[in-house]
Amino acid sequence: MGASRRDVLKASILLPLMASAAGVDGVSQGVPMRVAVVGAGAFGGWTALELQRRGSRVTLIDAWGPGNARASSGGETRVIRATYGSRAIYTKMAARALQLWQAYDAKWERGFFRKTGALWMFGADDAFGKASAAALRTQGLPIEELTPQAAARRFPQISFDAIASALWEPEAGYLHARRACEHVVQRFIAEGGEYRQAAVHAPVRVDGAVVKRVALDGGDAIEADAFVFACGPWLGQMFPEVIGKRVTPTRQEVYYFGTPPGDARFLDPQMPVWVDYRDRLMYGIPGNANRGFKVADDSAGPVFDPTSGTRDATPAGITAARAFIRQRFPLLADAPLLGSEVCQYESSPDSHFIVDRHPAAANVWIAGGGSGHGFKMGPALGEHLASLVLGTATPEPQFSLSRLAAPPAGGWEEKWS
């Protein structure tokens, strides 16, 4: 089939950009490509750092700063794991991300990654666990299948009531989210990147096949050869016609409960990351950084305004979390609530990422739809996005915008991933 007029037009625009960016090991020959990255969270920060290292001249922009409390990449901690059921593309990406987190930790000596292992607990339906185990083995990652009895011997501080089987993912753990975002931007600046705290004016004006400048609130603007928009829950506001409600921010409550004085059983390293994968998916992270024992419900909350929405915990949410703790961690049944936070998922309809070119502008890239599982992928996604911008890779079909034109015949998948 012949190339479409749009494909020919994009090629005529992209070839000069790619030529200026191409070179040995990604270092540009001649004038470096100027790239503006909007959003200093997990997707944007790592992308900006990677582009800077490959020879581009990068400006990174964020309205409130890396790891801020409004961002989907904010908060203290995030789970890192490679268990994704049959979605092997994420298992492969998580394996690469894990390698990169470990390498950066060895280099930076900041301890952003904590390898505690992850304990997965299942009811009668363990199809997700079986598919995950097969995918991990394909990637050469260890996984151990446990009976509830064996799991209880290993982790006596956990009750395995109503659990039929378990998986132990030893290479998994958690990440210090806010701290990592801040440090990535610090490294970006130290390596020659420019960081600006500014707000991009919404909606972004796209009135030609190439965007040359993007307006900022207050009347200023930024010019670049290419733009990457990795602004999480604000993507729909930035591109109402292209994204709109295809990225939906939802309100997610997280709780931190106090552990008994002097009792290390619920702290890292004696307690792993855990996931209770039954009718409602509950997950948590062991006590760390003296913050408390983290508990959260993965079920999608109500639609949320990430800019001005209220971030106080609700009595109903606290009550539900306590009821769960009473069953799964009976020794913490009366634990005091030390604190809470409200973050947001920025979910796509099928919980796949969106990493694609703007359909009307060849030099504009959109990255989002983290859907509650994107943070861990930051270093690997940064590599991929940098390659897309520099023309050394092609978009992944599963992350395309075109897939969201209409729901599939069976409806959108509603499952933690």
Side-chain angles (χ1 to χ4, degrees):
M1 185 167 63
S4 68
R5 182 178 179 275
R6 192 177 79 170
D7 291 337
V8 172
L9 179 61
K10 283 187 176 179
S12 68
I13 294 161
L14 287 173
L15 285 173
L17 295 177
M18 291 164 58
S20 70
V24 178
D25 295 328
V27 178
S28 63
Q29 297 174 340
V31 180
M33 178 187 283
R34 299 172 306 160
V35 185
V37 178
V38 181
F43 288 5
W46 285 105
T47 299
L49 180 61
E50 188 68 23
L51 282 164
Q52 185 70 26
R53 288 179 168 176
R54 297 191 193 187
S56 297
R57 202 170 80 209
V58 185
T59 301
L60 176 62
I61 302 169
D62 198 281
W64 292 288
N68 71 83
R70 288 181 171 100
S72 295
S73 295
E76 294 301 317
T77 51
R78 293 291 187 278
V79 173
I80 179 167
R81 43 86 193 191
T83 32
Y84 271 93
S86 61
R87 292 182 163 191
I89 187 172
Y90 294 107
T91 298
K92 183 177 181 180
M93 183 180 284
R96 175 59 179 161
L98 185 61
Q99 292 175 344
L100 291 170
W101 280 109
Q102 291 171 325
Y104 280 116
D105 255 8
K107 181 178 180 180
W108 292 340
E109 298 182 336
R110 298 299 295 267
F112 295 133
F113 168 54
R114 291 289 303 173
K115 188 173 79 169
T116 62
L119 178 68
W120 292 76
M121 296 171 279
F122 301 97
D125 183 0
D126 63 350
F128 180 87
K130 290 186 182 304
S132 296
L136 263 72
R137 290 178 179 127
T138 297
Q139 292 298 320
L141 294 172
I143 191 77
E144 185 179 352
E145 298 177 63
L146 301 174
T147 64
Q149 295 76 20
R153 288 192 294 271
R154 191 174 299 187
F155 302 107
Q157 67 273 55
I158 302 175
S159 167
F160 288 85
D161 176 46
I163 298 300
S165 64
L167 281 181
W168 174 241
E169 186 183 357
E171 296 300 308
Y174 66 90
L175 302 161
H176 289 285
R178 174 183 52 80
R179 287 171 43 202
C181 286
E182 291 173 346
H183 190 73
V184 167
V185 173
Q186 290 168 7
R187 293 309 315 159
F188 165 74
I189 295 170
E191 296 183 25
E194 178 189 0
Y195 172 72
R196 294 181 63 179
Q197 191 144 330
V200 170
H201 184 73
V204 175
R205 185 174 178 179
V206 177
D207 55 6
V210 172
V211 172
K212 296 182 178 180
R213 67 198 310 267
V214 166
L216 305 177
D217 285 348
D220 200 358
I222 184 165
E223 297 183 354
D225 302 314
F227 296 86
V228 177
F229 287 87
C231 38
W234 294 276
L235 275 175
Q237 298 174 31
M238 294 292 166
F239 301 101
E241 295 182 0
V242 173
I243 298 296
K245 294 183 179 179
R246 291 179 177 88
V247 170
T248 304
T250 59
R251 189 180 193 277
Q252 307 296 141
E253 295 188 14
V254 176
Y255 313 100
Y256 296 89
F257 290 93
T259 57
D263 190 342
R265 289 174 294 176
F266 298 95
L267 309 181
D268 171 9
Q270 292 190 36
M271 171 65 71
V273 164
W274 53 270
V275 184
D276 187 318
Y277 194 112
R278 294 180 296 152
D279 294 338
R280 294 181 72 86
L281 189 146
M282 303 291 293
Y283 72 96
I285 293 174
N288 65 87
N290 303 320
R291 182 73 192 271
F293 185 76
K294 180 175 178 177
V295 177
D297 186 340
D298 183 72
S299 305
V303 176
F304 184 63
D305 179 349
T307 301
S308 58
T310 301
R311 295 182 183 265
D312 297 328
T314 60
I318 297 171
T319 298
R322 284 196 177 281
F324 171 79
I325 288 175
R326 194 170 295 113
Q327 177 191 30
R328 190 62 60 226
F329 304 99
L331 295 176
L332 299 180
D334 298 317
L337 179 65
L338 301 183
S340 64
E341 60 193 15
V342 170
C343 63
Q344 65 273 324
Y345 289 170
E346 26 115 1
S347 299
S348 68
D350 57 2
S351 73
H352 278 304
F353 299 157
I354 298 171
V355 184
D356 203 357
R357 198 191 312 273
H358 190 290
N363 66 330
V364 174
W365 293 88
I366 295 171
S371 304
H373 67 103
F375 185 90
K376 73 179 88 54
M377 304 295 195
L381 197 82
E383 287 185 330
H384 178 60
L385 255 172
S387 296
L388 290 173
V389 173
L390 298 177
T392 59
T394 56
E396 165 57 51
Q398 291 186 65
F399 301 160
S400 69
L401 277 165
S402 61
R403 79 179 197 271
L404 301 176
W412 297 116
E413 182 176 352
E414 295 289 341
K415 200 174 187 66
W416 200 63
S417 53

